[in-house]
Amino acid sequence: MIASDIRLFDVSARDGLQNEPGAAALSVADKVEFITRLVAAGLTRIEAGSFVKPSAVPAMANSAEVAAALAPMQAAHPEVIFSYLVPNLKGLERARAIGAKEVAVFLAVSEEFSRANINQGVEDAFTAIAPVIAQAVAGGVRVRGYISTVFGYDDMAFSPDAVATRAKQLLGMGCYEVSLGDTTGIGSPGMVGELVRALQDVGIALEHVAMHFHDTFGKAIGNVAASYALGIRSFDAAAGGLGGCPYANSPKGNLRLEDLLAWCSAQGIGCGVTDAAALAKASGFMLGRLGKAA
Ligand code: HMG
Ligand code: MG
């Protein structure tokens, strides 16, 4: 077996499902079956749901029930970390009520995206998230931080220095890792290079950085390759390429995990998937439930 070099973070059950038409109708049992299959494929970092305002993202409204139903599997697989997205202290409270070991906070560098996503501007959002991170960490819950729109958005051009400053801020608040989102899929290998240089210029160790690519224009794997060559080892991906973002203009799928696996296999790099057939079954199961072709 190839040693796992890449640390994979599976986002399919949250970022993947939150924007899939029909996902709000999925039962708790469907979601648990999907996540069980992801665990069977060898995945150990799995975003299992979110504790946001239910009317904002109805597909995640049953996340507490999903978390409760995952308890036996969590007991059987202590190596698996289920992560839950939280926007505020109320979300953190809900995550702690189900015994979450990890939560993820999410911010953006685009004003327009930030306001659409969380009804708050960038500066206010960074200020408001500090106590959420502090309380989580003080309670023994580890925190991942997302920054969306890192390669630019409708209202802003790519600014690697601005992203690096915000990433440093989030890490300084207590996040163990910051995931940098190419929310609309406009990034390129050259931009990845500029971003990585800016991160290093502000003293960020790349072991604390993950990349979150979207495949809108078919550039995700090229961007993974560029990131990997520069020393990034943590990547977000979604089984079956599920998802997008409800507030981005080009809500195309997240980097497809199967594509990442194929790239890794071709390079002789491990990514933690130990059973590709189980992964195919997981994707097939969920795509089938959503009425999409595998
Ligand atoms: P708001 O309406 O401004 O919040 O929403 P509020 O504080 O004014 O509260 C309004 C109501 O919501 C109140 O209820 C609160 O209690 C309730 P009421 O008193 O009216 O009955 N509320 C909550 N209920 C449950 N859980 C909570 C919660 N918070 C407030 N946590 C808010 C602001 C941030 C809450 C809302 O806009 C929201 O939930 N947004 C989340 C949207 C979302 O999940 N977007 C997708 C995630 S980001 C993403 O996908 C990108 C990423 O994947 C990377 C990438 O791909 O780029 C990370
Ligand atoms: Mg995404």
Side-chain angles (χ1 to χ4, degrees):
M1 191 169 64
I2 307 168
S4 186
D5 185 10
I6 280 181
R7 300 187 309 281
L8 188 66
F9 186 83
D10 181 274
V11 298
S12 46
R14 194 282 301 173
D15 193 20
L17 292 183
Q18 74 183 7
N19 198 36
E20 289 290 346
L26 290 172
S27 66
V28 170
D30 281 339
K31 289 187 178 181
V32 170
E33 174 74 34
F34 179 46
I35 293 168
T36 301
R37 289 171 186 242
L38 295 175
V39 172
L43 298 169
T44 54
R45 300 167 79 204
I46 296 177
E47 199 166 49
S50 71
F51 295 112
V52 301
K53 188 168 76 170
S55 59
V57 186
M60 293 294 114
N62 60 3
S63 290
E65 291 97 311
V66 170
L70 287 173
M73 195 177 31
Q74 178 70 92
H77 290 277
E79 76 283 7
V80 175
I81 298 198
F82 294 117
S83 188
Y84 297 88
L85 196 80
V86 301
N88 51 20
L89 285 170
K90 180 158 188 170
L92 176 62
E93 247 171 60
R94 294 174 63 205
R96 291 180 72 169
I98 57 91
K101 292 181 188 167
E102 177 174 310
V103 295
V105 296
F106 54 107
L107 298 113
V109 283
S110 152
E111 276 304 315
E112 186 183 333
F113 182 85
S114 182
R115 287 184 193 282
N117 199 27
I118 56 171
N119 197 23
Q120 225 171 11
V122 172
E123 196 58 55
D124 286 349
F126 273 83
T127 303
I129 212 63
V132 179
I133 298 171
Q135 287 191 28
V137 171
V141 176
R142 64 181 202 158
V143 185
R144 196 166 195 257
Y146 283 105
I147 302 179
S148 290
T149 62
V150 301
F151 295 116
Y153 196 63
D154 290 352
D155 62 331
M156 56 161 288
F158 175 44
S159 170
D161 293 339
V163 176
T165 303
R166 291 301 188 184
K168 191 168 180 176
Q169 196 179 353
L170 269 191
L171 291 169
M173 288 177 189
C175 291
Y176 77 90
E177 178 174 86
V178 65
S179 169
L180 303 178
D182 181 9
T183 309
T184 50
I186 56 172
S188 65
M191 291 158 98
V192 168
E194 285 183 59
L195 182 55
V196 169
R197 265 191 301 281
L199 295 169
Q200 290 176 315
D201 282 350
V202 297
I204 293 176
L206 295 185
E207 72 204 61
H208 299 300
V209 177
M211 295 304 298
H212 180 115
F213 291 115
H214 283 195
D215 208 24
T216 317
F217 305 108
K219 297 194 286 180
I221 283 295
N223 289 333
V224 166
S227 308
Y228 185 88
L230 292 166
I232 304 275
R233 291 293 180 270
S234 183
F235 293 94
D236 299 354
L242 288 166
C245 179
Y247 302 108
N249 287 341
S250 306
K252 296 277 172 56
N254 289 296
L255 164 63
R256 191 170 163 264
L257 180 46
E258 289 85 343
D259 293 347
L260 181 62
L261 178 59
W263 179 81
C264 285
S265 302
Q267 308 294 316
I269 297 167
C271 69
V273 174
T274 51
D275 188 337
L279 175 62
K281 281 187 186 158
S283 299
F285 169 79
M286 186 44 74
L287 292 169
R289 278 286 183 277
L290 295 169
K292 294 178 83 167

